[in-house]
PDB file of all heavy atoms in Angstrom:
ATOM      1  N   VAL A  38      33.002 -60.955 -20.268  1.00  0.00           N
ATOM      2  CA  VAL A  38      32.151 -60.120 -21.120  1.00  0.00           C
ATOM      3  C   VAL A  38      31.706 -58.896 -20.323  1.00  0.00           C
ATOM      4  O   VAL A  38      31.186 -59.030 -19.213  1.00  0.00           O
ATOM      5  CB  VAL A  38      30.926 -60.917 -21.610  1.00  0.00           C
ATOM      6  CG1 VAL A  38      30.003 -60.039 -22.420  1.00  0.00           C
ATOM      7  CG2 VAL A  38      31.361 -62.136 -22.393  1.00  0.00           C
ATOM      8  N   LEU A  39      31.900 -57.706 -20.903  1.00  0.00           N
ATOM      9  CA  LEU A  39      31.498 -56.453 -20.268  1.00  0.00           C
ATOM     10  C   LEU A  39      30.725 -55.628 -21.285  1.00  0.00           C
ATOM     11  O   LEU A  39      31.217 -55.373 -22.382  1.00  0.00           O
ATOM     12  CB  LEU A  39      32.731 -55.678 -19.789  1.00  0.00           C
ATOM     13  CG  LEU A  39      32.470 -54.329 -19.144  1.00  0.00           C
ATOM     14  CD1 LEU A  39      31.779 -54.514 -17.803  1.00  0.00           C
ATOM     15  CD2 LEU A  39      33.771 -53.573 -18.975  1.00  0.00           C
ATOM     16  N   ILE A  40      29.507 -55.221 -20.913  1.00  0.00           N
ATOM     17  CA  ILE A  40      28.620 -54.491 -21.822  1.00  0.00           C
ATOM     18  C   ILE A  40      28.124 -53.215 -21.135  1.00  0.00           C
ATOM     19  O   ILE A  40      27.848 -53.215 -19.936  1.00  0.00           O
ATOM     20  CB  ILE A  40      27.389 -55.365 -22.189  1.00  0.00           C
ATOM     21  CG1 ILE A  40      27.817 -56.641 -22.901  1.00  0.00           C
ATOM     22  CG2 ILE A  40      26.368 -54.596 -23.009  1.00  0.00           C
ATOM     23  CD1 ILE A  40      28.398 -56.445 -24.276  1.00  0.00           C
ATOM     24  N   ASP A  41      27.982 -52.156 -21.901  1.00  0.00           N
ATOM     25  CA  ASP A  41      27.371 -50.920 -21.419  1.00  0.00           C
ATOM     26  C   ASP A  41      25.892 -51.199 -21.163  1.00  0.00           C
ATOM     27  O   ASP A  41      25.153 -51.568 -22.080  1.00  0.00           O
ATOM     28  CB  ASP A  41      27.542 -49.833 -22.478  1.00  0.00           C
ATOM     29  CG  ASP A  41      26.946 -48.498 -22.092  1.00  0.00           C
ATOM     30  OD1 ASP A  41      26.344 -48.379 -21.005  1.00  0.00           O
ATOM     31  OD2 ASP A  41      27.086 -47.558 -22.887  1.00  0.00           O
ATOM     32  N   ALA A  42      25.441 -51.020 -19.931  1.00  0.00           N
ATOM     33  CA  ALA A  42      24.049 -51.327 -19.571  1.00  0.00           C
ATOM     34  C   ALA A  42      23.064 -50.287 -20.105  1.00  0.00           C
ATOM     35  O   ALA A  42      21.861 -50.435 -19.918  1.00  0.00           O
ATOM     36  CB  ALA A  42      23.906 -51.449 -18.059  1.00  0.00           C
ATOM     37  N   LYS A  43      23.554 -49.274 -20.788  1.00  0.00           N
ATOM     38  CA  LYS A  43      22.672 -48.292 -21.416  1.00  0.00           C
ATOM     39  C   LYS A  43      22.396 -48.658 -22.874  1.00  0.00           C
ATOM     40  O   LYS A  43      21.677 -47.954 -23.566  1.00  0.00           O
ATOM     41  CB  LYS A  43      23.298 -46.896 -21.335  1.00  0.00           C
ATOM     42  CG  LYS A  43      23.438 -46.408 -19.902  1.00  0.00           C
ATOM     43  CD  LYS A  43      24.066 -45.036 -19.832  1.00  0.00           C
ATOM     44  CE  LYS A  43      24.235 -44.612 -18.384  1.00  0.00           C
ATOM     45  NZ  LYS A  43      24.777 -43.256 -18.262  1.00  0.00           N
ATOM     46  N   SER A  44      22.954 -49.792 -23.322  1.00  0.00           N
ATOM     47  CA  SER A  44      22.805 -50.238 -24.703  1.00  0.00           C
ATOM     48  C   SER A  44      21.885 -51.452 -24.784  1.00  0.00           C
ATOM     49  O   SER A  44      22.268 -52.556 -24.391  1.00  0.00           O
ATOM     50  CB  SER A  44      24.178 -50.610 -25.272  1.00  0.00           C
ATOM     51  OG  SER A  44      24.033 -51.308 -26.495  1.00  0.00           O
ATOM     52  N   ILE A  45      20.694 -51.259 -25.299  1.00  0.00           N
ATOM     53  CA  ILE A  45      19.748 -52.374 -25.404  1.00  0.00           C
ATOM     54  C   ILE A  45      20.282 -53.454 -26.339  1.00  0.00           C
ATOM     55  O   ILE A  45      20.147 -54.650 -26.055  1.00  0.00           O
ATOM     56  CB  ILE A  45      18.338 -51.887 -25.814  1.00  0.00           C
ATOM     57  CG1 ILE A  45      17.315 -52.990 -25.549  1.00  0.00           C
ATOM     58  CG2 ILE A  45      18.306 -51.423 -27.245  1.00  0.00           C
ATOM     59  CD1 ILE A  45      15.880 -52.498 -25.529  1.00  0.00           C
ATOM     60  N   MET A  46      20.916 -53.068 -27.421  1.00  0.00           N
ATOM     61  CA  MET A  46      21.461 -54.055 -28.357  1.00  0.00           C
ATOM     62  C   MET A  46      22.602 -54.846 -27.718  1.00  0.00           C
ATOM     63  O   MET A  46      22.718 -56.052 -27.923  1.00  0.00           O
ATOM     64  CB  MET A  46      21.934 -53.376 -29.645  1.00  0.00           C
ATOM     65  CG  MET A  46      20.805 -52.759 -30.461  1.00  0.00           C
ATOM     66  SD  MET A  46      19.527 -53.944 -30.911  1.00  0.00           S
ATOM     67  CE  MET A  46      20.402 -54.959 -32.058  1.00  0.00           C
ATOM     68  N   GLY A  47      23.432 -54.165 -26.953  1.00  0.00           N
ATOM     69  CA  GLY A  47      24.518 -54.857 -26.270  1.00  0.00           C
ATOM     70  C   GLY A  47      24.002 -55.891 -25.282  1.00  0.00           C
ATOM     71  O   GLY A  47      24.503 -57.008 -25.213  1.00  0.00           O
ATOM     72  N   ILE A  48      22.994 -55.523 -24.510  1.00  0.00           N
ATOM     73  CA  ILE A  48      22.442 -56.448 -23.519  1.00  0.00           C
ATOM     74  C   ILE A  48      21.756 -57.619 -24.208  1.00  0.00           C
ATOM     75  O   ILE A  48      21.897 -58.770 -23.788  1.00  0.00           O
ATOM     76  CB  ILE A  48      21.475 -55.728 -22.568  1.00  0.00           C
ATOM     77  CG1 ILE A  48      22.221 -54.665 -21.753  1.00  0.00           C
ATOM     78  CG2 ILE A  48      20.805 -56.729 -21.628  1.00  0.00           C
ATOM     79  CD1 ILE A  48      21.325 -53.768 -20.926  1.00  0.00           C
ATOM     80  N   LEU A  49      21.022 -57.357 -25.265  1.00  0.00           N
ATOM     81  CA  LEU A  49      20.333 -58.441 -25.967  1.00  0.00           C
ATOM     82  C   LEU A  49      21.313 -59.425 -26.604  1.00  0.00           C
ATOM     83  O   LEU A  49      20.966 -60.581 -26.848  1.00  0.00           O
ATOM     84  CB  LEU A  49      19.376 -57.880 -27.017  1.00  0.00           C
ATOM     85  CG  LEU A  49      18.130 -57.191 -26.454  1.00  0.00           C
ATOM     86  CD1 LEU A  49      17.337 -56.530 -27.573  1.00  0.00           C
ATOM     87  CD2 LEU A  49      17.265 -58.166 -25.671  1.00  0.00           C
ATOM     88  N   ALA A  50      22.542 -58.985 -26.852  1.00  0.00           N
ATOM     89  CA  ALA A  50      23.556 -59.870 -27.412  1.00  0.00           C
ATOM     90  C   ALA A  50      24.183 -60.772 -26.347  1.00  0.00           C
ATOM     91  O   ALA A  50      24.874 -61.729 -26.669  1.00  0.00           O
ATOM     92  CB  ALA A  50      24.644 -59.046 -28.094  1.00  0.00           C
ATOM     93  N   MET A  51      23.923 -60.481 -25.076  1.00  0.00           N
ATOM     94  CA  MET A  51      24.468 -61.285 -23.980  1.00  0.00           C
ATOM     95  C   MET A  51      23.655 -62.566 -23.799  1.00  0.00           C
ATOM     96  O   MET A  51      22.533 -62.678 -24.283  1.00  0.00           O
ATOM     97  CB  MET A  51      24.434 -60.490 -22.667  1.00  0.00           C
ATOM     98  CG  MET A  51      25.281 -59.260 -22.656  1.00  0.00           C
ATOM     99  SD  MET A  51      25.177 -58.384 -21.097  1.00  0.00           S
ATOM    100  CE  MET A  51      26.453 -59.234 -20.186  1.00  0.00           C
ATOM    101  N   ASP A  52      24.224 -63.479 -23.053  1.00  0.00           N
ATOM    102  CA  ASP A  52      23.529 -64.711 -22.677  1.00  0.00           C
ATOM    103  C   ASP A  52      22.638 -64.387 -21.477  1.00  0.00           C
ATOM    104  O   ASP A  52      23.100 -64.367 -20.336  1.00  0.00           O
ATOM    105  CB  ASP A  52      24.552 -65.792 -22.326  1.00  0.00           C
ATOM    106  CG  ASP A  52      23.911 -67.100 -21.922  1.00  0.00           C
ATOM    107  OD1 ASP A  52      22.665 -67.196 -21.942  1.00  0.00           O
ATOM    108  OD2 ASP A  52      24.659 -68.032 -21.588  1.00  0.00           O
TER     109      ASP A  52
END
Side-chain angles (χ1 to χ4, degrees):
V38 177
L39 178 69
I40 299 292
D41 180 358
K43 296 180 182 183
S44 168
I45 195 163
M46 294 303 291
I48 296 172
L49 289 173
M51 297 180 87
D52 180 2

